[in-house]
Amino acid sequence: MLGEPEYNMNELFAQLGLDSSDEAIDDFVEKHQLAKEEKLVEAKVWTDNQRSFLQEEWEKDAEWVEVIDDLNVRMHPDA
């Protein structure tokens, strides 16, 4: 019996239509650091479709939520 798929950061970036290589992800995170009070889904870096995906998955507490949370932490280094 197969369990639920485990998602990772590379798959999240691919789902968002972004370069999903480790180097590209590190570069993206480094270039798009967010202020402590700025919410991940409100960042200007996202397209409307990307923002909607992130918001919907977060609100559903879906399979992606752990990876989205990790991205949130990585983009908020001072939080």
Side-chain angles (χ1 to χ4, degrees):
M1 185 166 139
L2 296 176
E4 291 292 320
E6 290 190 29
Y7 296 104
N8 61 43
M9 192 66 65
N10 302 86
E11 291 169 337
L12 176 61
F13 271 67
Q15 179 71 28
L16 293 170
L18 300 170
D19 186 339
S20 60
S21 69
D22 291 340
E23 297 80 16
I25 293 169
D26 290 343
D27 187 52
F28 180 92
V29 169
E30 183 178 317
K31 287 182 179 177
H32 299 99
Q33 295 293 287
L34 303 175
K36 184 177 180 179
E37 64 280 350
E38 188 175 7
K39 293 182 179 180
L40 177 70
V41 296
E42 295 174 356
K44 296 186 188 325
V45 67
W46 309 119
T47 66
D48 289 341
N49 287 339
Q50 291 168 331
R51 182 175 293 106
S52 292
F53 173 78
L54 292 168
Q55 184 69 40
E56 288 170 13
E57 294 302 307
W58 184 262
E59 288 174 357
K60 290 190 303 189
D61 198 21
E63 293 85 6
W64 289 105
V65 75
E66 288 183 28
V67 182
I68 294 170
D69 186 49
D70 184 35
L71 178 60
N72 186 48
V73 169
R74 290 179 65 183
M75 291 179 71
H76 286 96
D78 298 326

